[in-house]
Amino acid sequence: MQEVTGLFMVATMLRNILGKYLPNPQWVDIVITLINIGAIFTVISLSAVILVYAERKVSAYMQMRIGPNRVGPWGILQTVADMIKLMSKEDIMPVGADRWLWILAPVLLFIPSAAVYVVFPFDNQAIFADLNIGIFYFIAVSSQATLPFLMAGWASNSKYALIGGMRTVAQMLSYEIPLVFSILGVVMIVGSMRMSDIVAAQQQVWFIVVQPLAFIIFLIAATAETNRAPFDLVESESELVAGPFTEYSGMRWALFFLAEYANLFAASAIAVTLFLGGWNGPWLPGWLWFLLKTALMIFVFMWLRWTFPRPRVDQLMAFGWKILLPLSLVNVVLTGIGIYTVKYFS
Amino acid sequence: MQGKGLLAGMRITLNRLFGKKITVHYPEEKIPMSPRFRGGELDLAHNKCIACGLCAMACPNQVIELTTRTDEHKKRHLTSYIYHSGRCLYCNYCIEVCPTDAICWDKNYENSRYFRHQLDVDCLAISRGKSPNAVVGTNPDDTDKEEGTT
Ligand code: SF4
Ligand code: SF4
């Protein structure tokens, strides 16, 4: 066991304080669980607010503009103002919509985005649930996000939304597979799917050095999975009529948006955990390293987004199946050969 | 190598990220319009104007509405000069036809108004406001109705 640090200490302290006031340990557990859930939602909504602002600033700077600068100093309250605007918007439901599916879709989309946060190792010991199938859980839960998109597309009772929904599902399915295979290389080396094991295995050398190909495949596939440009065929509202959420307005639409930014944070956090050594790092506390690295990954995703033009849908599918998937399989084979050679010579 | 262009693109965007920003902070800062800019409102120099009415006649949309007064030396003076900018095509005919270059475009591009009547500009009053000592033309009572053109 490594030395106990940072967030874990805070949690233990909280536990001790609660222990003094609450009658028995079960109560403490319940309160701690509630606090955990609250923390996840705080992280998600806060990160969404910050990320929207960051995205606008990064895009502006890359286009030699300044970006939001009206509301608050440097425009930092712009997203808050946008949120208030969204909340005050009229909630329109299309005639003939499949009522319950339509209402459930954005909520269901948000749930997997929030649920994956359970397995992120924010710091040494600071993980909500250190499952021994952590990575598998992440893949399983995050791939659920495909279904609500189809639901939203179908329930809207609109051709455009339905086509958009199917396009989304096609894209997400195609890129889920290379994503999983690129992660597999790391899992093979570590020999465990537990997040804390994966991070612990990177104390000497980060997996981006050992698995550069897997990292690139992961980067591309995760971009597609989070529906970000250049693979943003899901949302592009002016060109592709916003795909499955064409008919959504106000807060329901905002939920789609929130889920997207939650996914962006999740994808970056997973990339950090798998390839960039997680919370490992000298001097600074682990959670700060995790946050810094995640911020860096988010910046890389934004950088990609504001650099590349969007491919056509057929190019997108061809790239996923004909290039990324074989490459990720090659990576798995190479990793296997590598592991055996290392074992053979040692 | 495949994918070289992708890296080049990323290098460019990164350079731009740290590069100079060219945004004009619009309401505070404004770009001076070029000499050829055609838009805004007609800027009348009433002491150059000989009240010939050619501009009003040249206009395909009857945008310019002017009235004149003839004085004892048979010299015409402007008594009113209204420019209905809401109808203007910005075709420039009026300016081209003017024999004394009395009208030109002002370089203003903030032309939105809340009410339609605010689009009717009294160019003579504006021109007088700019040079208050000029006294050509008088009050509307003296208007020579026969000479009035619309
Ligand atoms: S620009 Fe054309 S339309 Fe406008 S006032 Fe002059 S002549 Fe008339
Ligand atoms: S054409 Fe020129 S000089 Fe003649 S009335 Fe118009 S502005 Fe005056």
Side-chain angles (χ1 to χ4, degrees):
Chain A
M1 187 64 70
Q2 291 99 24
E3 85 278 26
V4 173
T5 47
L7 293 180
F8 185 63
M9 295 242 295
V10 177
T12 325
M13 259 164 59
L14 198 66
R15 222 166 240 283
N16 290 338
I17 295 167
L18 283 175
K20 281 182 198 148
Y21 295 102
L22 292 173
N24 59 35
Q26 278 88 21
W27 277 98
V28 178
D29 280 345
I30 290 170
V31 171
I32 287 281
T33 311
L34 286 180
I35 289 175
N36 283 349
I37 293 172
I40 291 182
F41 278 101
T42 315
V43 167
I44 290 173
S45 34
L46 209 64
S47 69
V49 170
I50 295 170
L51 288 183
V52 171
Y53 174 74
E55 179 107 285
R56 293 185 64 180
K57 275 290 184 195
V58 167
S59 70
Y61 272 53
M62 284 185 175
Q63 296 166 347
M64 299 163 83
R65 299 184 286 115
I66 296 191
N69 64 349
R70 291 283 146 187
V71 193
W74 308 289
I76 46 173
L77 295 179
Q78 183 65 54
T79 344
V80 180
D82 286 346
M83 257 167 36
I84 294 170
K85 181 197 79 178
L86 277 176
M87 279 188 248
S88 63
K89 271 193 174 180
E90 189 188 353
D91 181 24
I92 303 165
M93 184 188 278
V95 177
D98 198 333
R99 195 185 161 81
W100 283 108
L101 283 189
W102 194 82
I103 291 171
L104 272 179
V107 182
L108 281 190
L109 182 70
F110 185 68
I111 288 174
S113 318
V116 292
Y117 280 71
V118 165
V119 290
F120 292 159
F122 291 99
D123 194 356
N124 194 3
Q125 309 293 318
I127 179 168
F128 293 117
D130 198 5
L131 305 178
N132 54 8
I133 50 161
I135 267 294
F136 181 71
Y137 171 86
F138 167 74
I139 292 163
V141 171
S142 66
S143 56
Q144 290 304 311
T146 318
L147 187 62
F149 275 118
L150 190 59
M151 275 170 68
W154 165 257
S156 293
N157 191 26
S158 150
K159 290 184 201 65
Y160 296 107
L162 181 59
I163 293 170
M166 295 201 290
R167 188 175 56 227
T168 309
V169 172
Q171 171 182 334
M172 295 187 91
L173 284 183
S174 316
Y175 281 83
E176 193 77 44
I177 297 166
L179 183 86
V180 173
F181 277 117
S182 68
I183 291 176
L184 206 55
V186 173
V187 175
M188 281 163 77
I189 294 177
V190 182
S192 163
M193 292 204 222
R194 191 191 291 267
M195 290 295 206
S196 53
D197 290 350
I198 293 173
V199 177
Q202 297 179 77
Q203 257 167 351
Q204 306 305 324
V205 56
W206 294 358
F207 283 146
I208 186 173
V209 183
V210 192
Q211 294 268 311
L213 183 61
F215 178 69
I216 291 169
I217 295 169
F218 180 87
L219 204 63
I220 297 171
T223 314
E225 280 291 296
T226 48
N227 309 324
R228 294 177 61 77
F231 305 113
D232 63 341
L233 275 73
V234 174
E235 53 203 47
S236 49
E237 56 233 47
S238 40
E239 301 91 338
L240 295 168
V241 251
F245 38 90
T246 310
E247 308 290 349
Y248 286 85
S249 61
M251 266 332 266
R252 293 184 204 276
W253 176 84
L255 268 181
F256 281 101
F257 220 65
L258 194 63
E260 184 195 332
Y261 279 100
N263 283 338
L264 172 63
F265 190 93
S268 306
I270 285 293
V272 167
T273 311
L274 291 177
F275 296 103
L276 297 179
W279 39 259
N280 283 319
W283 311 304
L284 298 175
W287 58 270
L288 200 57
W289 271 114
F290 183 82
L291 222 58
L292 283 177
K293 288 173 187 172
T294 311
L296 181 75
M297 273 314 296
I298 288 171
F299 174 74
V300 169
F301 278 119
M302 288 182 177
W303 188 8
L304 293 176
R305 171 167 186 174
W306 295 103
T307 303
F308 300 132
R310 181 185 307 132
R312 276 198 324 262
V313 66
D314 59 321
Q315 293 170 334
L316 175 100
M317 299 301 282
F319 184 68
W321 288 105
K322 292 185 190 162
I323 297 177
L324 276 194
L325 182 59
L327 267 184
S328 56
L329 287 174
V330 165
N331 182 62
V332 168
V333 173
L334 287 182
T335 312
I337 294 172
I339 291 172
Y340 269 95
T341 8
V342 168
K343 269 194 187 150
Y344 186 77
F345 285 113
S346 57
Chain B
M1 189 188 94
Q2 277 281 321
K4 225 174 174 176
L6 299 179
L7 293 180
M10 290 181 71
R11 202 185 59 237
I12 289 172
T13 39
L14 196 66
N15 280 342
R16 293 288 183 276
L17 183 81
F18 295 111
K20 192 172 168 291
K21 307 292 171 277
I22 55 169
T23 313
V24 175
H25 292 258
Y26 164 58
E28 291 95 31
E29 281 175 47
K30 283 172 193 172
I31 305 175
M33 287 291 111
S34 67
R36 291 278 183 96
F37 175 77
R38 199 193 279 185
E41 287 160 1
L42 280 183
D43 190 7
L44 173 77
H46 70 278
N47 39 12
K48 277 201 218 165
C49 179
I50 53 170
C52 63
L54 283 176
C55 51
M57 272 188 272
C59 179
N61 261 12
Q62 285 94 48
V63 172
I64 298 167
E65 207 176 319
L66 56 78
T67 51
T68 58
R69 171 184 68 88
T70 318
D71 69 4
E72 55 273 25
H73 310 296
K74 295 254 192 273
K75 196 166 182 272
R76 282 192 286 189
H77 301 286
L78 274 184
T79 45
S80 77
Y81 193 104
I82 310 288
Y83 165 63
H84 300 280
S85 71
R87 291 208 297 266
C88 183
L89 305 158
Y90 301 99
C91 62
N92 223 29
Y93 285 171
C94 51
I95 291 172
E96 275 166 23
V97 83
C98 178
T100 60
D101 288 338
I103 42 178
C104 63
W105 294 113
D106 67 358
K107 301 288 184 232
N108 178 24
Y109 45 85
E110 294 161 318
N111 297 326
S112 55
R113 300 282 189 275
Y114 280 105
F115 301 101
R116 181 171 288 216
H117 70 84
Q118 291 172 331
L119 290 167
D120 303 337
V121 185
D122 187 350
C123 293
L124 189 61
I126 293 173
S127 173
R128 285 227 183 90
K130 278 181 195 159
S131 54
N133 49 349
V135 284
V136 186
T138 42
N139 60 55
D141 299 342
D142 305 340
T143 302
D144 189 349
K145 290 286 186 254
E146 291 79 36
E147 290 276 354
T149 34
T150 40

